[in-house]
Amino acid sequence: MTESATAHDQSPVPASIDASTMRQMYAKMHLIRTFEERAAEQYMRGNIGGFLHLAIGEEAAVVGAVAALRPTDPITSTYREHGQALARGSDPNAVMAELFGRTTGLCNGRGGSMHLMDREHAFYGGYGIVGGSIPLAVGLGFAINYRHEDGVVMVMFGDGATNQGVLSESMNMAKLWHLPVIFFCLNNQYGMGTSITRAASDTELFTRAQAFDMPSRRIDGMDVMAVYSAVNDAAEYARTAHEPSMIEALAYRYRGHSMSDPDNTRPEEEKARWRARDPLITFERVVLGDAIATPEELEQLRAANVTRIDEAVSFAEGSPQVPISALADNVYTHPWNTNPRGGAVMPGADQ
Amino acid sequence: MEHQPARWSGHAGCRSVSTSTPTSVSYREALTQAMREELQRDANVFLMGEDIGLFEGSFKVTRGLLTEFGPTRIVDTPISEAGFVGLGIGAAMSGLRPVIELMTVNFSIVAMDQIVNNAAKVRYMFGGQVSVPMVIRMPGGAGHQLGAQHSHSLEAWFTHIPGLKVVCPSTPYDAKALLKTAIRDDDPVIFLESEGLYAKKGPVGGAEDLIPFGQGIIRREGTHCTIVAVSRMVWIALAAADILANEGISCEVIDPRTTRPLDLGMIATSVRRTNHCVVVDEGWPECGLAANVAAHVYEACFDWLDAPIGRVNAADVPMPYAHDLEQAALPRADDVAQAVRATLARRER
């Protein structure tokens, strides 16, 4: 990745963003950072199982993108999606409880960290297969057109997904059928441990859209204002022109791929360079510089977030485990057999 | 759900049908009728697939539907099976009722990630927040010299997956009624048609004649051996029963119609009476549909069985092109008859 690629080479002129939105975006970014750090701690204590993928460093891309949409616009994401749920307004208690695998979790303990969904907030889920959710989002866009609604779908995926064939299939159909879909590539520059420079023949990932005659641009994913502006434009374009578009937000995750990744292959110099552009610190400067909030107000806000996440951890710890008797719930909408040991079989043979 | 021990479920079985009656339609037309009626009944139903509109379907199952319903509801797609199956799942999650046609079952393999990881699982892994009321129709089977890559019978693959329902109709009546049930079902349904049955004629039901999933049917009554088969293999089983009748062997042929859920109650009731069982399966033998049905029957009927359960499968090879080789690789009536004879002979040992 060349230095020039980290510049705002295609960033739009920022739309005017009101003070209240800026304060909310800062609050969400800090909430997500706090949540992720506490989740890591709870993982180390053994309270969270499976894989845990943290989005620390990516808060600007997540929050800016989500904030620019209407709350009813459907979003899908990858398995690194705690932030999307929180940005969308999911209850941190329910998100943490899901990570703990409890009944009070967003998905009643059936999904875990990688499979959060909050339909009430039009968050259509985190998916564990790279690229797998992209055609689903196109289907949500198809449904919007089918019903003559004015919603916009945003599908968030990583740089790794741009090398999955299903992205090309999905972009082609979205453009062919004029679907209101924003293809939002959060390019954190690594597919697990493999640098994009070792995985993509052209590391300017936004150019993938050009093959489908779809407008696209690369923006600075560490700058929440730039992200907000770009998604705001793309949403407007989707709503008025009924066309898809692609945004590539260049960002960096501070942690390894998941908690089990010791992160010893990425260059220390590279990590330090990106950490120097920390989205929370840079945005705090903007918020203070523009007198959007005082240092005291930000301090209060941060303290409130810490308290909020403390509460979420307590809530998750105190929540009941999922009863084993509920093992087979929701395999089907109308189950014919609640016995998970022989779910394929009709009763009638046991008499 | 209680299964009906009665046989014909209020409609004609496939053997009593005169193909010359005016009400007799092809399996293909039965499917078309089902889709036309459901498209008329529910504005949320739409069809999507390769060459289903202007070209009217590779097997002409969607003939006339583009003209009648227009391109918004009859959608021709690019050759992107994973893409448009995934699109259907997303549309279904938001409440539409897509009926996706895969040109053949062979192309479902390209879309398998979407089917297994998304269609079958999103309801469960998201705690019941969404359903996927989608049908994926696809013809399968061999017998037309289409070679190794176009001759699959993947009933076992789909039946393996919790979250899916799997339908394998053998007659025009069942094709129509089961497809209507599938379209109205709130969960993803894999609807496996048989290329070899599209021209088969028989009576069909009306707009509200549905067949619930998990309800098999006795296609022929008998006393010596139970033969279990679905889809085109039902007809092979019936032909074998004819052969054996001449030898004084009476076979009961059971068509479970859906392999998930499976009407084990009907099968077990029969086997406990005949004490012998042969399962016919157009797919491969290892971890196959026949193996699965046999395992269930062993568990349910071990004390009633007088001999090991016989299995008749496709040969354990990729499907060859050469005509005679292909025929030799597929279950034939003679193979089924021989399996029944062998099973019955074991009793006398």
Side-chain angles (χ1 to χ4, degrees), chain B residues 13-178:
Chain B
C14 56
R15 303 200 77 237
S16 59
V17 170
S18 163
T19 52
S20 62
T21 60
T23 56
S24 178
V25 303
S26 68
Y27 184 96
R28 170 188 291 112
E29 168 62 15
L31 294 164
T32 316
Q33 282 186 15
M35 288 189 281
R36 179 181 292 114
E37 289 169 10
E38 295 307 299
L39 282 159
Q40 287 166 344
R41 192 184 62 81
D42 184 351
N44 285 324
V45 176
F46 71 94
L47 312 188
M48 176 172 273
E50 293 155 351
D51 271 323
I52 66 162
L54 196 60
F55 194 77
E56 300 190 308
S58 187
F59 295 93
K60 305 302 172 194
V61 179
T62 49
R63 178 172 283 158
L65 299 181
L66 176 65
T67 309
E68 188 172 348
F69 296 99
T72 303
R73 300 186 68 195
I74 313 295
V75 185
D76 277 323
T77 68
I79 302 172
S80 304
E81 286 88 3
F84 68 77
V85 167
L87 187 156
I89 298 164
M93 285 165 72
S94 79
L96 297 184
R97 291 186 174 269
V99 181
I100 306 291
E101 175 176 306
L102 288 170
M103 193 178 285
T104 74
V105 69
N106 311 290
F107 311 143
S108 72
I109 299 171
V110 179
M112 205 55 88
D113 173 53
Q114 291 299 323
I115 296 170
V116 175
N117 270 314
N118 289 338
K121 290 183 186 146
V122 292
R123 178 171 178 80
Y124 186 84
M125 76 182 187
F126 294 141
Q129 292 181 76
V130 286
S131 292
V132 181
M134 174 172 72
V135 181
I136 310 179
R137 295 177 39 240
M138 48 189 131
H144 301 87
Q145 286 194 270
L146 298 177
Q149 296 184 334
H150 278 70
S151 302
H152 288 100
S153 292
L154 300 181
E155 289 82 357
W157 286 28
F158 296 112
T159 304
H160 188 59
I161 310 297
L164 300 179
K165 297 176 181 177
V166 184
V167 183
C168 318
S170 63
T171 69
Y173 188 99
D174 285 10
K176 179 175 179 181
L178 288 167

Side-chain angles (χ1 to χ4, degrees), chain A residues 130 140 145 308 338 351:
Chain A
V130 171
L140 295 168
N145 273 15
R308 186 72 192 79
T338 52
Q351 70 273 32

Side-chain angles (χ1 to χ4, degrees), chain B residues 324-342:
Chain B
D324 289 359
L325 283 183
E326 182 186 47
Q327 289 303 307
L330 286 169
R332 292 169 294 191
D334 284 342
D335 303 324
V336 178
Q338 189 50 40
V340 171
R341 289 185 202 109

Side-chain angles (χ1 to χ4, degrees), chain A residues 69-351:
Chain A
L69 297 177
R70 294 177 185 167
T72 51
D73 289 333
I75 295 173
T76 71
S77 183
T78 69
Y79 43 79
R80 194 184 308 283
E81 88 291 31
H82 313 153
Q84 278 83 347
L86 294 170
R88 242 315 150 73
S90 297
D91 181 353
N93 288 3
V95 180
M96 190 64 83
E98 187 62 32
L99 270 49
F100 275 57
R102 305 300 171 97
T103 51
T104 51
L106 267 185
C107 303
N108 311 125
R110 303 315 199 279
S113 164
M114 295 197 285
H115 306 301
L116 301 174
M117 169 182 265
D118 188 349
R119 195 174 186 191
E120 194 184 324
H121 290 93
F123 177 49
Y124 275 83
Y127 298 81
I129 307 297
V130 171
S133 72
I134 299 172
L136 269 55
V138 174
L140 295 168
F142 180 91
I144 286 170
N145 273 15
Y146 192 91
R147 297 192 175 104
H148 306 291
E149 296 168 347
D150 71 341
V152 172
V153 183
M154 180 168 67
V155 49
M156 304 183 82
F157 52 92
D159 44 288
T162 61
N163 296 322
Q164 289 276 29
V166 79
L167 175 65
S168 296
E169 298 182 25
S170 299
M171 282 187 162
N172 182 50
M173 291 188 296
K175 180 66 186 182
L176 186 66
W177 295 329
H178 312 290
L179 304 181
V181 178
I182 302 170
F183 292 89
F184 188 96
C185 176
L186 202 168
N187 178 4
N188 67 20
Q189 308 175 53
Y190 283 85
M192 212 165 94
T194 302
S195 163
I196 192 74
T197 59
R198 297 198 295 128
S201 59
D202 180 352
T203 55
E204 294 193 318
L205 301 178
F206 70 94
T207 61
R208 304 292 175 99
Q210 292 169 2
F212 306 100
D213 194 24
M214 187 189 296
S216 66
R217 61 191 181 198
R218 172 183 276 184
I219 58 168
D220 181 1
M222 305 297 268
D223 178 352
V224 67
M225 303 281 275
V227 176
Y228 181 97
S229 293
V231 174
N232 190 61
D233 290 352
E236 181 70 11
Y237 177 66
R239 257 186 264 278
T240 56
H242 303 285
E243 292 286 357
S245 62
M246 178 186 183
I247 294 167
E248 176 194 359
L250 199 59
Y252 201 77
R253 65 170 146 74
Y254 293 178
R255 301 289 194 110
H257 172 71
S258 72
M259 285 297 289
S260 56
D261 170 10
D263 192 24
N264 53 15
T265 57
R266 298 190 300 178
E268 291 303 322
E269 174 278 326
E270 178 186 276
K271 292 183 209 173
R273 180 157 42 87
W274 282 92
R275 279 175 184 272
R277 304 184 57 235
D278 184 86
L280 273 163
I281 294 171
T282 52
F283 190 45
E284 181 181 345
R285 283 193 207 114
V286 173
V287 168
L288 293 174
D290 291 357
I292 302 295
T294 65
E296 294 72 28
E297 285 169 337
L298 291 189
E299 193 48 53
Q300 283 171 9
L301 181 156
R302 287 191 289 260
N305 279 340
V306 170
T307 304
R308 186 72 192 79
I309 301 304
D310 283 346
E311 182 199 322
V313 172
S314 299
F315 174 83
E317 276 176 329
S319 290
Q321 301 282 355
V322 187
I324 303 301
S325 60
L327 175 61
D329 286 2
N330 289 316
V331 178
Y332 295 97
T333 308
H334 308 291
W336 64 83
N337 186 344
T338 52
N339 173 15
R341 308 296 175 198
V345 183
M346 295 294 295
D350 300 328
Q351 70 273 32

